[in-house]
């Protein structure tokens, strides 16, 4: 068994494909130095291209109530815990490669795959 990663399949045609839950072993997340976002990076499970998505903190509906207090150093209140972007979001292939048959109006430049990362 080889540990050589599968190369990016640039010739894989674009297709909107929900891959369901995938193993999180090839994904990681890191907070931006300014603390305002989290970047999730890894390998697309469909085309095997390098992909990364930035999730901004404090967006409405993301459960970040009380973030301003934490950032400004004020305590008090009952801030809910922030969502875990690695496991709590739907991810899309953003390998940056225009796969064959990719429509011009797509939002994420990649192979069209989407997935959730298993906890």
């Amino acid at each position: 068994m080889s540990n050589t990663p599968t190369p990016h399949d640039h010739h894989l045609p674009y297709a909107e494909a929900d891959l369901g839950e995938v193993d999180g072993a090839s994904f990681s997340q890191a907070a931006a130095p300014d603390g305002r976002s989290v970047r999730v990076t890894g390998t697309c499970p469909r085309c095997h291209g390098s992909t990364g998505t930035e999730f901004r903190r404090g967006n409405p509906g993301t459960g970040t109530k009380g973030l301003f207090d934490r950032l400004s150093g004020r305590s008090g209140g009952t801030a809910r815990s922030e969502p875990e972007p690695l496991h709590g979001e739907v991810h899309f292939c953003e390998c940056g490669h225009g796969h064959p048959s990719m429509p011009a109006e797509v939002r994420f430049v990649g192979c069209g795959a989407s997935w959730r990362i298993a906890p």
Side-chain angles (χ1 to χ4, degrees), residues 1 3 16 20 22 26-27 32 45-46 48 50 72 78 82 91 93 99 104 106 116 118:
M1 188 163 143
N3 286 338
E16 291 183 11
V22 302
S26 69
F27 291 92
R46 182 168 180 260
H48 307 288
S50 179
S72 65
T78 56
E82 294 188 43
H91 300 270
C93 178
H99 283 263
V106 297
R116 286 157 303 291

Side-chain angles (χ1 to χ4, degrees), residues 91-112:
H91 300 270
F92 296 89
C93 178
E94 293 189 62
C95 69
H97 178 71
H99 283 263
S101 303
M102 186 178 84
E105 69 277 357
V106 297
R107 183 170 171 200
F108 302 102
V109 177
C111 73

Side-chain angles (χ1 to χ4, degrees), residues 54-71:
E54 185 171 310
F55 295 92
R56 301 285 301 164
R57 295 184 191 262
N59 289 335
T62 61
T64 57
K65 182 177 178 183
L67 179 61
F68 180 77
D69 287 344
R70 287 192 305 260
L71 289 175

Side-chain angles (χ1 to χ4, degrees), residues 2 4 8-9 24 29 33 35 38 47 49 73 82 87 95 97 102 107:
S2 172
T4 305
H8 187 172
D9 186 351
Q29 70 181 20
V38 173
C47 74
E82 294 188 43
H87 302 297
C95 69
H97 178 71
M102 186 178 84
R107 183 170 171 200

